[in-house]
Amino acid sequence: MIDVVDLGIDYERICQKVRSNKQYWTDRFGIFYTFGASVYIDDQKEYTQYKNTVNDVLYNEFNDLYLKLSDYFGAELNSDIAYPGFHIFNEYSNDTNASIHFDTPYLRLPNYKLSFSNPQSFTILLKKPKSGAGLNIWDKINLNKMNLSDQKEYVNNKKIKDLGDVKYIEYDLGKMYIHSGSVLHQIANKGIGIDEERITMQGHIIQDGNKKYMYF
C-alpha cells in the first residue's frame, strides 16, 4: 500500500536550500507554507502565476533531486505544470488538523486528460520535529473500490464520521513514501515545538500514454 524508498539524498543540504529561498514560500492560511505552486490549493490564475515564478527557481536549486525522482519513477518535468515542491510546517500549525482526503490533484491540472492513469503521490521527509512526523491512513476506505456515489460523498467529506480505525505511519528522515492516493489519508499533526520545523518534499506522478509527469 505504501512503498518506502531510500534515494540516498542529502536531506540536510536540501533543507538549507529550502530555507535560503524563503522569499518564494507562500503562506497557506496562516498554518503552513509551500515552496512551489500547488494545483490542489491554488486557483487557476494563482497557479499559473506562481508556477511561472517558481519553477525555474526549483529547477536550479533541486535539479539533482529531480533527476533522482525521474530515474526512479521514469517520469519527467513539464513546464506547463508545477514542479514537485515543499511543505513547511512550524508551531503555527499546532491545534489544527489537516484535511482527511484522497489524492486526486490530477483532475485540476491545466493539461488534464480523461486518459490520465496510474496516479501516485510521494512524500520525502527532510526535517523532523522531536514529536515525530508521519501519515494517518484509513486503509479499509479505498476510492477505487467504491461506486461513484460513495466516492463523491467521501471526497466531499460527507462520510468522515464513518472512517473506522486509523493507522499511523511514522516517517524516517530522507526516506520517500509512495502511495496511489486512493486510500483515505491525512497529514498527522504530532505537534511542533517553537523553532522546530516539519519539512517535506511533496509530489505526484501521472501517466499520459507512454509518458509520466511529476508535479505538485
Side-chain angles (χ1 to χ4, degrees), residues 90-121:
N90 58 24
E91 69 269 20
Y92 296 120
S93 67
N94 291 341
D95 301 319
T96 65
N97 291 314
S99 66
I100 300 172
H101 63 282
F102 303 102
D103 282 348
T104 56
Y106 55 90
L107 298 174
R108 290 170 55 91
L109 286 172
N111 60 340
Y112 171 70
K113 298 179 182 178
L114 288 173
S115 59
F116 279 175
S117 62
N118 299 323
Q120 292 176 287
S121 299

Side-chain angles (χ1 to χ4, degrees), residues 140-179:
K140 294 181 180 179
I141 303 174
N142 191 315
L143 195 65
N144 294 332
K145 296 179 180 179
M146 296 180 189
N147 60 43
L148 186 59
S149 175
D150 282 346
Q151 285 183 13
K152 288 180 178 179
E153 287 191 341
Y154 272 107
V155 169
N156 293 329
N157 291 332
K158 291 183 178 179
K159 286 195 172 182
I160 294 300
K161 63 181 182 298
D162 300 325
L163 297 184
D165 294 334
V166 61
K167 293 183 180 179
Y168 173 69
I169 297 173
E170 178 75 15
Y171 289 159
D172 290 328
L173 281 166
K175 300 292 179 61
M176 178 167 66
Y177 294 79
I178 308 163
H179 60 92

Side-chain angles (χ1 to χ4, degrees), residues 25-35 38 40-41 86-90 92-93 96 98 187 198 216:
W25 295 7
T26 297
D27 187 334
R28 303 297 188 176
F29 323 112
I31 298 173
F32 71 107
Y33 300 90
T34 62
F35 179 14
S38 175
Y40 52 90
I41 300 176
F86 302 87
H87 280 174
I88 305 101
F89 288 84
N90 58 24
Y92 296 120
S93 67
T96 65
I187 296 172
R198 180 193 194 274
F216 186 14

